[in-house]
Amino acid sequence: MLLRHGVISAFEQLTSHSLSSSTVIRRQQFLVRTLCASRTHLPNLIRAMSSTSEADAESVLRTVTPSLDPKRHKGQAGKIAVIGGCREYTGAPYFAAISALRIGADLSHVFCTKDAAPVIKSYSPELIVHPVLEESYNISQFTEEEKRKVQDKVIGEVDKWMEIFDCLVIGPGLGRDPFLLECVSKIMLLAKKFNVPFVVDGDGLFLVTNSIDLVKSYPLAVLTPNVIEYKRLVQKVLNCEVDEGKAEDQLRSLAKQIGGVTILRKGKTDLISNGEIVKSVSIYGFPRRCGGQGDILSGSVAVFLSWAQQLKSGPESPSESPAILGCIAASGLLRKAASLAFTKHKRSTLTSDIIECLGESLEDICPVS
Amino acid sequence: MLLRHGVISAFEQLTSHSLSSSTVIRRQQFLVRTLCASRTHLPNLIRAMSSTSEADAESVLRTVTPSLDPKRHKGQAGKIAVIGGCREYTGAPYFAAISALRIGADLSHVFCTKDAAPVIKSYSPELIVHPVLEESYNISQFTEEEKRKVQDKVIGEVDKWMEIFDCLVIGPGLGRDPFLLECVSKIMLLAKKFNVPFVVDGDGLFLVTNSIDLVKSYPLAVLTPNVIEYKRLVQKVLNCEVDEGKAEDQLRSLAKQIGGVTILRKGKTDLISNGEIVKSVSIYGFPRRCGGQGDILSGSVAVFLSWAQQLKSGPESPSESPAILGCIAASGLLRKAASLAFTKHKRSTLTSDIIECLGESLEDICPVS
């Protein structure tokens, strides 16, 4: 079983939740039983429930995670690239890139500035780090013509790799340098040209919020905003404030307004929508809010999305989009890994500790054999 | 129970020491019993004892450490910044910043020189390291006007972040470069403007000892001198030598003379005063004196102070100041973690080993649930 969407049957929705035992579900079941006595209220109920549909994240994880086949060769389990890392930030792109590998991707690249590269390389020899991005302070003496040449060179360096990637993560530790963000805009256009999916997080969301056309109507774009980033998006795109009372409807409207991109709104409960359906993931709790968890999530979405893309061409193609499946799987896995890390390290839990638990958590849900 | 201060009752003071079983206490109890036979000497005894009031550090730790609430978002458990790290020193700011995270802060920044940044970044991807400070050797050819511009730029880089921080740690690995220290003086003024508390340690104390007005009468300043730094402070401010026979009174006078800043005098027994009360922390012994323990302490004071600040606005506001509570909690936790690390590593114990024990020690005193 995978996911079912749309307003089809309240009962069907409910029975699909065997693995999520939240009190919300039990309360819904009670409501359905009560209201079925007078069936006149059922359509309303079904409509209401469609907006609070908890995804079966563990089942999605089992569906999208490919079996390990010794006949496959390097790269077939995923080639991810993170666009991020500047003079100021180096941890975020590392977290995203190493998470992708720890989940099971074969290759993880990072495209960052020249200053950030040696540091990110020093975190791990597993990553392929390209020191190709440029920030304004390095080219402040250049003429406009020279700056354009630098930009062309940056884009050229990314261009020659682009078609091999299964998914990009754009934004972790990107910073907000105008010249750098202009280059990243062009990298987004390049990704779209090659039909490479991308996950936008952190400062990438700052860029996208101010230039929404960069992602508009690109079905392979995923945005993963936190509370503050989501607020800015809603203000900019819907021209209103966040309304928690209508959280699901507002998220659906936002995703629809951006032409059907997929949005994963991070929070105590993660909410996911592509403008059509809304899914929530609330399994496992984790009370630590140390910085870097969002980077794990963005790297994880990239891997699961690319795995779900591979399913599309297979005989058992799921009905949900790869972007929706990728978000559900990544959210579920991060929450489980964070919860596991917390049982070991308590208040002391850091993002690196959670990354160490990604493998064990995935194996627990979806054993290799 | 939290803290009791002032000269109220020698017996009350003594009964509050159930958790500290030092021979000093038993000796005091014997003295009280002996002297009570002829009560004429009691007032003197009470006066003497008021200055040796051992804080119940574990109880303070339980009071200031916030419960973990999944509804909170990133940053609410503390955003700390360390000002330190130069071409020569990189370990100290790392120790302070990573200790803050391991205790439970959400975000830990370091503002250091350009040379120090890649090294500090490479120690851990969990830290956000800003390469913004400058040393004289880098600008020796500059005119006075150009130097002023560099200074303005440095201050601007810190200024744009200042208001988000809950507490600064100023000094670990700062070095003594005159240009750099001048910038740090201005960062202190900036912190005071934003009412951001700061802990001054290491070379920050060298700066402050020579320019006492930088901290004078700022109630959110904490100084954490070791034996030598304390000696210099006493000589400079009180114009005399350290008198171990009147250790508590002298510390109280010193803190009062600097306008009520809080001073944590590190030693076999840590002594803490804000010019009004004097508290001691002597739980747990640790015979290793490897470098870096002071950096753990300064980072820890920053976290506990900012947590204690949050309590001030709540319904159960403690009577003691956040600075005093922060010092007691940090001292108690470091001593416990060091003692625990020593049981594991003996002579081989290093500062990193103590940092690894911070989480377990806090969990032991103050379990998550």
Side-chain angles (χ1 to χ4, degrees):
Chain A
M1 188 226 59
L2 252 182
L3 294 169
R4 299 185 186 109
H5 59 97
V7 185
I8 304 166
S9 156
F11 291 101
E12 213 173 288
Q13 293 270 357
L14 285 169
T15 53
S16 74
H17 294 306
S18 57
L19 285 165
S20 53
S21 58
S22 79
T23 50
V24 175
I25 304 296
R26 287 198 299 276
R27 220 172 295 141
Q28 286 174 344
Q29 284 173 322
F30 169 78
L31 264 170
V32 170
R33 281 196 303 274
T34 312
L35 290 168
C36 277
S38 64
R39 295 179 69 98
T40 49
H41 293 101
L42 202 52
N44 283 341
L45 176 71
I46 292 169
R47 205 158 36 244
M49 285 180 53
S50 72
S51 62
T52 57
S53 162
E54 173 79 4
D56 183 349
E58 296 197 346
S59 172
V60 172
L61 275 160
R62 280 188 283 272
T63 302
V64 299
T65 303
S67 58
L68 285 170
D69 181 350
K71 277 183 241 144
R72 297 184 111 199
H73 59 78
K74 185 172 79 177
Q76 285 188 297
K79 298 178 290 298
I80 305 302
V82 178
I83 314 290
C86 61
R87 188 167 60 159
E88 209 156 26
Y89 305 113
T90 51
Y94 162 74
F95 287 143
I98 201 75
S99 297
L101 288 181
R102 283 285 179 203
I103 288 168
D106 281 345
L107 291 166
S108 202
H109 292 243
V110 176
F111 291 81
C112 61
T113 68
K114 291 186 176 71
D115 293 320
V119 177
I120 300 174
K121 285 168 185 282
S122 78
Y123 292 145
S124 167
E126 315 279 351
L127 307 177
I128 301 164
V129 183
H130 307 261
V132 298
L133 303 183
E134 285 286 2
E135 287 182 87
S136 300
Y137 74 91
N138 254 346
I139 53 163
S140 56
Q141 310 301 321
F142 286 21
T143 63
E144 284 308 307
E145 175 63 16
E146 286 169 331
K147 283 182 184 173
R148 204 188 47 76
K149 278 188 185 162
V150 173
Q151 196 178 78
D152 288 348
K153 201 176 162 220
V154 170
I155 306 308
E157 291 286 340
V158 183
D159 190 10
K160 66 186 180 193
W161 287 94
M162 187 61 83
E163 68 178 326
I164 75 152
F165 295 129
D166 298 301
C167 190
L168 306 184
V169 183
I170 301 176
L174 199 58
R176 295 188 178 181
D177 179 78
F179 182 82
L180 192 146
L181 291 185
E182 211 180 310
C183 290
V184 173
S185 302
K186 295 205 158 49
I187 293 171
M188 284 186 182
L189 299 179
L190 205 60
K192 285 155 79 174
K193 193 179 100 182
F194 283 99
N195 269 318
V196 175
F198 55 76
V199 183
V200 187
D201 192 43
D203 293 317
L205 285 169
F206 171 80
L207 170 65
V208 158
T209 303
N210 294 321
S211 311
I212 209 76
D213 281 348
L214 284 172
V215 295
K216 199 163 189 176
S217 303
Y218 185 53
L220 301 177
V222 177
L223 316 184
T224 52
N226 62 20
V227 177
I228 295 163
E229 291 154 350
Y230 185 72
K231 186 181 171 190
R232 284 195 209 115
L233 261 177
V234 167
Q235 286 171 336
K236 191 81 177 189
V237 177
L238 297 181
N239 211 15
C240 65
E241 294 302 316
V242 173
D243 182 349
E244 290 301 340
K246 297 174 181 168
E248 291 82 4
D249 286 343
Q250 198 170 43
L251 176 65
R252 187 191 287 107
S253 301
L254 181 66
K256 197 166 208 158
Q257 191 70 24
I258 314 178
V261 300
T262 299
I263 302 176
L264 193 172
R265 181 197 163 172
K266 297 178 280 196
K268 187 165 175 280
T269 293
D270 291 332
L271 289 177
I272 300 154
S273 180
N274 56 1
E276 296 294 327
I277 59 162
V278 183
K279 292 285 169 184
S280 64
V281 180
S282 61
I283 52 168
Y284 303 106
F286 176 62
R288 269 286 268 153
R289 293 289 174 265
C290 50
Q293 293 174 57
D295 307 312
I296 302 180
L297 186 76
S298 62
S300 310
V301 172
V303 180
F304 289 118
L305 188 161
S306 59
W307 287 349
Q309 284 267 84
Q310 291 177 359
L311 283 182
K312 284 298 265 190
S313 51
E316 290 176 11
S317 175
S319 57
E320 296 297 348
S321 77
I324 289 281
L325 295 175
C327 288
I328 293 169
S331 169
L333 182 67
L334 169 60
R335 298 173 80 99
K336 185 174 170 78
S339 154
L340 181 59
F342 189 71
T343 61
K344 295 179 184 179
H345 302 279
K346 299 291 191 306
R347 279 177 205 283
S348 202
T349 310
L350 297 185
T351 296
S352 305
D353 303 319
I354 302 173
I355 292 171
E356 283 307 303
C357 292
L358 286 171
E360 187 180 343
S361 302
L362 186 56
E363 181 61 18
D364 188 41
I365 295 168
C366 177
V368 163
S369 56
Chain B
M1 192 227 53
L2 250 184
L3 295 170
R4 300 189 186 109
H5 57 95
V7 185
I8 304 167
S9 156
F11 292 102
E12 209 175 293
Q13 293 272 355
L14 284 169
T15 53
S16 74
H17 295 306
S18 57
L19 286 165
S20 54
S21 58
S22 78
T23 50
V24 175
I25 303 296
R26 286 199 301 275
R27 218 172 297 140
Q28 285 174 343
Q29 284 172 323
F30 169 76
L31 263 170
V32 170
R33 280 196 303 273
T34 312
L35 289 169
C36 276
S38 63
R39 297 176 69 97
T40 49
H41 294 100
L42 202 52
N44 282 341
L45 176 70
I46 292 170
R47 205 159 36 244
M49 286 179 56
S50 73
S51 61
T52 57
S53 163
E54 174 78 4
D56 183 349
E58 297 198 345
S59 171
V60 172
L61 275 161
R62 280 187 284 271
T63 303
V64 299
T65 303
S67 58
L68 286 169
D69 181 352
K71 279 186 232 136
R72 298 183 114 198
H73 58 78
K74 186 172 77 177
Q76 286 187 297
K79 299 179 289 296
I80 305 302
V82 177
I83 314 289
C86 61
R87 189 166 59 162
E88 208 156 22
Y89 305 113
T90 50
Y94 162 75
F95 288 143
I98 200 75
S99 297
L101 287 181
R102 281 289 177 199
I103 289 169
D106 282 346
L107 292 166
S108 201
H109 292 243
V110 176
F111 292 81
C112 61
T113 68
K114 291 186 177 70
D115 293 320
V119 179
I120 300 174
K121 282 167 185 284
S122 76
Y123 293 147
S124 167
E126 313 279 352
L127 306 178
I128 300 165
V129 182
H130 307 263
V132 298
L133 303 183
E134 285 285 3
E135 288 183 86
S136 301
Y137 72 90
N138 252 346
I139 53 164
S140 55
Q141 309 301 319
F142 285 21
T143 63
E144 285 308 307
E145 174 63 16
E146 285 169 332
K147 284 183 184 171
R148 205 187 47 75
K149 276 188 185 162
V150 173
Q151 196 179 76
D152 288 348
K153 201 175 162 225
V154 170
I155 306 308
E157 291 287 341
V158 183
D159 189 10
K160 66 185 180 191
W161 287 95
M162 187 62 81
E163 67 178 327
I164 75 152
F165 294 129
D166 298 301
C167 191
L168 306 183
V169 182
I170 301 177
L174 199 57
R176 295 188 178 181
D177 179 78
F179 182 83
L180 191 147
L181 291 185
E182 210 180 312
C183 289
V184 173
S185 302
K186 294 205 157 50
I187 293 171
M188 284 187 183
L189 298 179
L190 205 60
K192 284 155 78 174
K193 193 180 102 183
F194 283 99
N195 269 319
V196 175
F198 55 75
V199 182
V200 187
D201 192 41
D203 293 317
L205 285 168
F206 171 80
L207 170 65
V208 158
T209 304
N210 293 321
S211 312
I212 208 76
D213 280 348
L214 284 172
V215 294
K216 199 164 190 176
S217 303
Y218 186 52
L220 301 177
V222 177
L223 315 183
T224 53
N226 62 20
V227 176
I228 295 164
E229 291 153 351
Y230 185 71
K231 187 180 170 190
R232 282 196 210 114
L233 261 177
V234 167
Q235 286 171 338
K236 191 82 177 185
V237 177
L238 298 181
N239 211 14
C240 65
E241 294 302 316
V242 172
D243 182 349
E244 290 301 342
K246 296 175 182 169
E248 292 83 5
D249 285 343
Q250 197 170 43
L251 176 64
R252 186 191 288 109
S253 301
L254 181 66
K256 199 166 206 157
Q257 191 68 23
I258 314 179
V261 301
T262 298
I263 303 176
L264 193 172
R265 181 195 163 172
K266 296 178 281 196
K268 185 162 175 287
T269 292
D270 292 332
L271 289 177
I272 299 153
S273 180
N274 58 0
E276 296 292 327
I277 59 163
V278 183
K279 292 286 168 184
S280 65
V281 180
S282 61
I283 51 167
Y284 304 107
F286 177 61
R288 275 282 276 149
R289 293 290 174 265
C290 51
Q293 292 174 57
D295 307 311
I296 302 179
L297 185 76
S298 61
S300 309
V301 172
V303 180
F304 289 117
L305 189 162
S306 58
W307 286 351
Q309 284 265 88
Q310 290 179 0
L311 281 183
K312 285 299 264 189
S313 51
E316 290 176 13
S317 174
S319 57
E320 296 298 347
S321 77
I324 288 281
L325 295 175
C327 287
I328 293 169
S331 170
L333 182 68
L334 169 60
R335 298 172 80 98
K336 185 174 169 77
S339 151
L340 180 59
F342 188 70
T343 61
K344 294 180 183 179
H345 302 279
K346 298 292 189 300
R347 279 177 203 283
S348 195
T349 310
L350 296 184
T351 295
S352 304
D353 303 319
I354 302 174
I355 291 171
E356 282 308 302
C357 291
L358 286 171
E360 187 180 342
S361 302
L362 185 55
E363 181 62 17
D364 189 41
I365 295 168
C366 177
V368 163
S369 57

